[in-house]
């Protein structure tokens, strides 16, 4: 089959679109993460500092691979010309204006953090503590970084410059650039705080698990592996929100400009989450999880556990594929490799299948009405993620690279082809 001439001809006639991220980036980050997790597990290091170290262990190898192997800093999409050598006084005014806009943005974010009480309770408190320590370092480092980078940028007047210029009443201000700048930083501020907040608890649960129990209890083993998949996912996602840098070609090309996209995304995360306990889309009342319904069926219990681990692994794989470019509501380069060769939205698909199988909402510990309600609400939750997928496609569809990928997937992607077959649609 691998040497079938007909298949080879078809592949040449319809080549797979190139991906903005190489497979090696994710593998490098995964290798660093696995090494540190093994060390932490061996020595029982489950504290917040060990969890943060896991982020570094994941991120540093990816940066090294990207620079020395993929040479991403040389790509035209960075907007950088490394041969440029203008005199400092030629770019200094631009840099100072940009710094004013950047610092104003950070001040606004700090005000939002300080005002929102929920940021100073529960897991979010850890994020605020980290930001409090990092903020002075970031403020100081931004000065030489911006001055250095502006001497290499082909067009240094980005959104931060336009915001600074507007504050100083300078000419040439583009308000659309300011809005795009604020959207991008809004994404980063909102989601980075959330990601950092969930880094320590998941890592601690993974490290503190009783290994002896895992070897004798398939349910405990499945839950531990699922926890580990989420440790991987959160580590890569956190690195992604941190490393939004032009020099690494991982900058935000654009943040989703559509209000519907923001609404669909924000209702999936605290403090706006609708699926949480007591929320309008909370499908848990009247249900029990898979271990309850399959407790007397050890074979099915093991198979279900393995299936749930596999679905979570696909979910984590979808994040690993981003390397250090993961970010909600943004365009940071088009991915076409890994699980994105099979589905345009592998994370959403695997996550929702996981929820359906782990909850089994049509079974109930209450009444038939409870089962119906839980099933309908679960369907509505899946509908939210379908909505998110469509708003993302609308945003990314403005990029010809994504349009080419979308149509290639319609012709070749197993998941789109499956749904096209089920719905009786012709392939694109």
């Amino acid at each position: 089959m691998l040497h079938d001439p007909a298949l080879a001809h078809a592949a040449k006639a319809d080549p797979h679109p190139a991906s903005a991220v190489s497979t090696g980036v994710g593998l490098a980050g995964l290798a660093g993460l696995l090494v540190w997790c093994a060390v932490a597990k061996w020595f029982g290091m489950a504290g917040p500092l060990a969890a943060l170290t896991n982020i570094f262990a994941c991120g540093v190898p990816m940066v090294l691979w990207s620079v020395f192997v993929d040479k991403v800093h040389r790509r035209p999409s960075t907007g950088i010309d490394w041969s440029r050598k203008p005199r400092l006084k030629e770019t200094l005014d631009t840099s100072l204006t940009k710094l004013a806009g950047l610092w104003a943005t950070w001040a606004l974010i700090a005000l939002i953090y300080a005002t929102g009480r929920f940021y100073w309770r529960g897991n979010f408190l850890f994020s605020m503590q980290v930001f409090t320590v990092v903020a002075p370092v970031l403020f100081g480092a931004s000065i030489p970084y911006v001055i250095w980078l502006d001497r290499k940028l082909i067009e240094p007047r980005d959104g931060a410059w336009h915001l600074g210029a507007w504050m100083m009443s300078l000419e040439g201000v583009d308000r659309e650039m300011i809005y795009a700048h604020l959207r991008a930083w809004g994404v980063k501020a909102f989601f980075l705080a959330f990601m950092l907040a969930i880094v320590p608890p998941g890592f601690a649960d993974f490290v503190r698990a009783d290994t002896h129990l895992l070897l004798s209890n398939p349910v405990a083993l499945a839950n531990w592996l699922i926890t580990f998949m989420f440790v991987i996912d959160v580590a890569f996602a956190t690195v992604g929100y941190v490393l939004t840098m032009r020099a690494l070609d991982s900058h935000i090309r654009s943040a989703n400009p559509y209000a519907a996209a923001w609404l669909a995304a924000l209702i999936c995360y605290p403090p706006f989450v609708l699926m949480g306990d007591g929320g309008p889309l909370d499908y848990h009342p009247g249900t029990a999880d898979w271990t309850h319904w399959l407790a007397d069926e050890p074979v099915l219990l093991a198979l279900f556990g393995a299936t749930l681990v596999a679905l979570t692994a696909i979910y984590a794989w979808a994040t690993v594929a981003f390397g250090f470019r993961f970010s909600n509501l943004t365009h940071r380069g088009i991915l076409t490799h890994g699980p994105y060769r099979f589905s345009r939205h592998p994370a959403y698909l695997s996550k929702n299948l996981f929820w359906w199988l782990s909850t089994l909402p049509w079974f109930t510990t209450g009444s038939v009405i409870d089962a119906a309600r839980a099933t309908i609400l679960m369907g509505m939750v899946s509908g939210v993620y379908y909505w998110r997928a469509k708003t993302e496609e609308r945003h990314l569809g403005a990029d010809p690279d994504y349009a080419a990928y979308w149509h290639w997937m319609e012709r070749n992607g197993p998941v789109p082809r499956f749904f096209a077959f089920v719905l009786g649609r012709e392939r694109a």
Side-chain angles (χ1 to χ4, degrees):
M1 182 177 181
L2 293 176
H3 303 285
D4 188 333
L7 291 177
H9 177 74
K12 290 180 181 179
D14 195 6
H16 178 257
S19 184
V21 181
S22 73
T23 301
V25 179
L27 292 178
L30 185 60
L33 181 147
L34 291 174
V35 169
W36 175 250
C37 284
V39 171
K41 180 68 176 172
W42 182 264
F43 291 101
M45 295 184 290
L49 183 58
L52 283 180
T53 303
N54 190 49
I55 304 301
F56 282 95
C58 175
V60 171
M62 288 197 288
V63 171
L64 295 176
W65 183 280
S66 296
V67 172
F68 293 105
V69 179
D70 293 341
K71 302 187 186 302
V72 294
H73 59 294
R74 299 291 183 183
R75 293 178 178 176
S77 52
T78 61
I80 297 174
D81 180 357
W82 296 103
S83 65
R84 293 186 76 239
K85 296 180 180 179
R87 289 179 295 178
L88 178 60
K89 66 179 183 180
E90 295 177 26
T91 59
L92 185 58
D93 286 347
T94 297
S95 298
L96 293 178
T97 303
K98 182 183 293 186
L99 284 168
L102 186 61
W103 291 343
T105 304
W106 291 350
L108 177 60
I109 292 171
L111 177 62
I112 294 172
Y113 284 156
T115 304
R117 290 191 180 92
F118 67 91
Y119 279 122
W120 301 91
R121 296 194 294 257
N123 292 334
F124 275 107
L125 180 58
F126 175 74
S127 299
M128 296 302 105
Q129 292 170 338
V130 172
F131 291 158
T132 301
V133 173
V134 171
V137 178
L138 189 63
F139 178 84
S142 67
I143 300 172
Y145 178 77
V146 169
I147 292 174
W148 165 74
L149 189 60
D150 279 353
R151 298 182 68 194
K152 302 297 181 182
L153 284 173
I154 297 171
E155 177 47 75
R157 295 189 173 188
D158 59 7
W161 182 89
H162 285 275
L163 178 58
W166 174 78
M167 293 164 53
M168 299 176 185
S169 299
L170 301 180
E171 295 182 354
V173 173
D174 185 340
R175 291 181 180 272
E176 290 302 318
M177 292 284 286
I178 296 175
Y179 299 149
H181 166 78
L182 293 177
R183 282 195 299 267
W185 274 98
V187 168
K188 185 166 182 173
F190 181 84
F191 288 103
L192 180 56
F194 170 73
M195 287 298 168
L196 274 176
I198 60 177
V199 164
F203 187 80
D205 288 343
F206 165 74
V207 172
R208 290 173 180 158
D210 186 344
T211 307
H212 297 292
L213 175 63
L214 301 177
L215 297 177
S216 60
N217 187 327
V219 172
L221 177 60
N223 286 332
W224 182 70
L225 289 174
I226 289 170
T227 297
F228 183 49
M229 294 303 111
F230 283 117
V231 168
I232 295 172
D233 166 68
V234 171
F236 273 84
T238 304
V239 170
Y241 285 110
V242 171
L243 293 180
T244 49
M245 304 175 69
R246 276 193 176 273
L248 294 174
D249 195 35
S250 60
H251 57 290
I252 296 175
R253 276 71 164 166
S254 63
N256 201 311
Y258 303 113
W262 285 76
L263 178 61
L266 293 181
I267 63 176
C268 298
Y269 297 91
F272 311 109
V273 61
L274 299 185
M275 301 82 169
D277 293 342
L281 296 183
D282 181 10
Y283 52 83
H284 296 96
T287 68
D289 68 14
W290 60 288
T291 60
H292 173 85
W293 301 113
L294 302 176
D296 297 327
E297 302 290 341
V299 175
L300 281 177
L301 197 66
L303 289 174
F304 246 71
T307 302
L308 293 175
V309 170
L311 287 171
T312 318
I314 294 172
Y315 177 74
W317 184 22
T319 309
V320 170
F322 275 89
F324 49 75
R325 296 194 191 205
F326 180 86
S327 176
N328 284 299
L329 292 170
T330 60
H331 172 15
R332 297 173 66 183
I334 305 303
L335 269 65
T336 66
H337 70 298
Y340 295 91
R341 291 185 70 117
F342 307 98
S343 169
R344 286 190 293 268
H345 305 282
Y348 293 166
L349 181 60
S350 59
K351 178 188 289 189
N352 279 272
L353 286 173
F354 177 92
W355 285 335
W356 281 96
L357 291 178
S358 63
T359 305
L360 298 172
W362 49 86
F363 294 142
T364 179
T365 56
S367 65
V368 174
I369 293 176
D370 288 324
R373 182 182 290 121
T375 303
I376 292 171
L377 288 174
M378 178 70 81
M380 294 176 68
V381 170
S382 295
V384 168
Y385 279 86
Y386 178 80
W387 180 23
R388 286 183 66 178
K390 289 303 177 183
T391 61
E392 291 173 6
E393 290 181 2
R394 183 185 179 193
H395 172 215
L396 297 177
D399 186 331
D401 288 342
Y402 185 79
Y405 163 69
W406 193 95
H407 287 292
W408 187 91
M409 286 293 290
E410 284 293 291
R411 295 188 300 271
N412 302 282
V415 173
R417 291 183 64 184
F418 169 77
F419 282 108
F421 172 77
V422 171
L423 297 176
R425 296 197 310 257
E426 291 185 4
R427 287 185 285 160

